[in-house]
Amino acid sequence: MTDADPQFRADVLAGLATSPRAIPARWFYDRRGSELFEAITALPEYYPTRTEVGILGRIGPALARWTGQGRAVVEFGSGSSAKTPLLLRAIAPSAYVPIDISGEFLRASATALAAAYPGLPVWPVEADFLRPLALPPEVADAPKLGFFPGSTIGNMGPRQAVDLLRAMAGTLGAKEQGGAQLLIGMDRVKDAATLVAAYDDAAGITAAFNLNLLARINRELAGDVPLDAFAHEARWNDEAARIEMHLAATRDLTFTIAGERFVMTAGETIHTENSHKYGPRDARLLLRAGGWEPVAEWTDEAGLFAVLLAEARGGSAGP
């Protein structure tokens, strides 16, 4: 437990002591969690990745016109950087800065990308992009394009999403540095059956991803949580326009984490993730509230998913 992230420990203990119980979704992504998420993106039920990849593959020429050449691409939560080549090939960037909380996974994907693009400087940053961070000095003077694919913005509630968008604008730089831009993926509201299936696949990969959070807690925080006493649940919350992931206790149980004792009753859950979905107007309103002005938007033929390009606005985002 000595090597555990102190914020991980604090979030887990505080989250399990609250009612209802909840743990922030960013702690899914140890190496095993990152690997499982990459497997999720290839599942037939999980439409967001293949739909977004299709959009990015189609809009390259338009992106190049909007962004110009020489921007440093800064990817927030880069993971395996699987979608990044589609962007890099389209816009001829000056550098690539992947940011991810999973350091081992980040370094492996950054090394692979640097080998694939030998003329492109790659400056990986191991950090939680939900907190303030500094970019490498090598890109300080370059105009920047933030890249936030995968509808990760949906994992945050509206207030947190607005705060993050404002922080991104600050990280990427002001207008005098060439005008920051942000390319962001947002999942659209659609029928509940399609949404639930995407987060509760038949092969059980998403269930393993959810349960891996408990395995990480046991390993890093000296926990004795019985993994076989929890089941994965995915729910559509229509009022909040979001999918919720929960770990539901299948029996009454007692366990300890970092020396603290917890008691749960059968049916009680730990809320582990939200994935908010947005209509077209909702998406643009969110961006404007976060200090960005949408300038272009692309979607697939069925309207399942959207990719938006926005430019940082100067001054206040409003009251």
Side-chain angles (χ1 to χ4, degrees), residues 7 12 24 30 41 57 67 73 80 139 166 175 178 198 204 249 263 272 295 304 306:
Q7 190 61 54
V12 168
D30 62 352
T41 65
T67 64
V73 172
S80 68
V139 300
R166 289 176 176 172
K175 289 182 176 292
V263 177
T272 54
V295 295
L304 298 175

Side-chain angles (χ1 to χ4, degrees), residues 140-188:
D141 296 328
K144 298 170 187 70
L145 172 65
F147 187 38
F148 199 35
S151 194
T152 307
I153 194 73
N155 295 145
M156 298 145 212
R159 181 177 298 179
Q160 186 185 25
V162 168
D163 288 344
L164 176 61
L165 289 167
R166 289 176 176 172
M168 285 177 167
T171 297
L172 295 172
K175 289 182 176 292
E176 56 267 21
Q177 293 176 303
Q181 295 180 330
L182 178 66
L183 187 67
I184 185 171
M186 291 192 185
D187 199 8
R188 288 279 178 84

Side-chain angles (χ1 to χ4, degrees), residues 8-259:
F8 178 42
R9 181 182 185 276
D11 283 351
V12 168
L13 295 180
L16 292 179
T18 60
S19 180
R21 304 178 199 265
I23 298 173
R26 66 178 178 273
W27 299 116
F28 279 133
Y29 298 98
D30 62 352
R31 183 173 182 85
R32 179 58 177 158
S34 296
E35 291 170 347
L36 285 166
F37 182 74
E38 293 305 317
I40 288 169
T41 65
L43 292 168
E45 298 97 330
Y46 196 77
Y47 63 86
T49 298
R50 63 176 177 271
T51 306
E52 186 177 30
V53 165
I55 295 169
L56 291 170
R58 174 170 52 85
I59 66 174
L63 272 179
R65 289 193 298 271
W66 276 107
T67 64
Q69 294 188 347
R71 288 186 178 272
V73 172
V74 179
E75 184 168 0
F76 297 91
S78 55
S80 68
S81 302
K83 299 166 188 170
T84 314
L86 295 168
L87 178 59
L88 300 183
R89 288 196 295 266
I91 69 166
S94 60
Y96 172 58
V97 182
I99 303 168
D100 203 90
I101 196 172
S102 179
E104 187 180 359
F105 204 67
L106 169 72
R107 289 184 287 274
S109 58
T111 298
L113 199 68
Y117 294 85
L120 179 68
V122 177
W123 309 103
V125 175
E126 181 180 351
D128 180 356
F129 62 80
L130 296 177
R131 305 180 195 171
L133 60 89
L135 296 179
E138 291 84 358
V139 300
D141 296 328
K144 298 170 187 70
L145 172 65
F147 187 38
F148 199 35
S151 194
T152 307
I153 194 73
N155 295 145
M156 298 145 212
R159 181 177 298 179
Q160 186 185 25
V162 168
D163 288 344
L164 176 61
L165 289 167
R166 289 176 176 172
M168 285 177 167
T171 297
L172 295 172
K175 289 182 176 292
E176 56 267 21
Q177 293 176 303
Q181 295 180 330
L182 178 66
L183 187 67
I184 185 171
M186 291 192 185
D187 199 8
R188 288 279 178 84
V189 175
K190 57 188 67 66
D191 66 281
T194 298
L195 288 164
V196 170
Y199 294 84
D200 193 12
D201 60 279
I205 306 300
T206 310
F209 173 70
N210 203 4
L211 287 162
N212 181 66
L213 176 60
L214 300 180
R216 181 181 185 183
I217 288 170
N218 284 346
R219 184 178 64 253
E220 297 184 23
L221 301 179
D224 59 5
V225 184
L227 272 62
D228 63 354
F230 286 89
H232 165 71
E233 288 186 2
R235 310 170 181 173
W236 171 243
N237 183 331
D238 192 63
E239 183 177 352
R242 72 189 187 198
I243 283 283
E244 297 177 359
M245 290 208 324
H246 294 256
L247 289 165
T250 58
R251 62 175 189 264
D252 295 347
L253 69 155
T254 301
F255 54 87
T256 60
I257 298 171

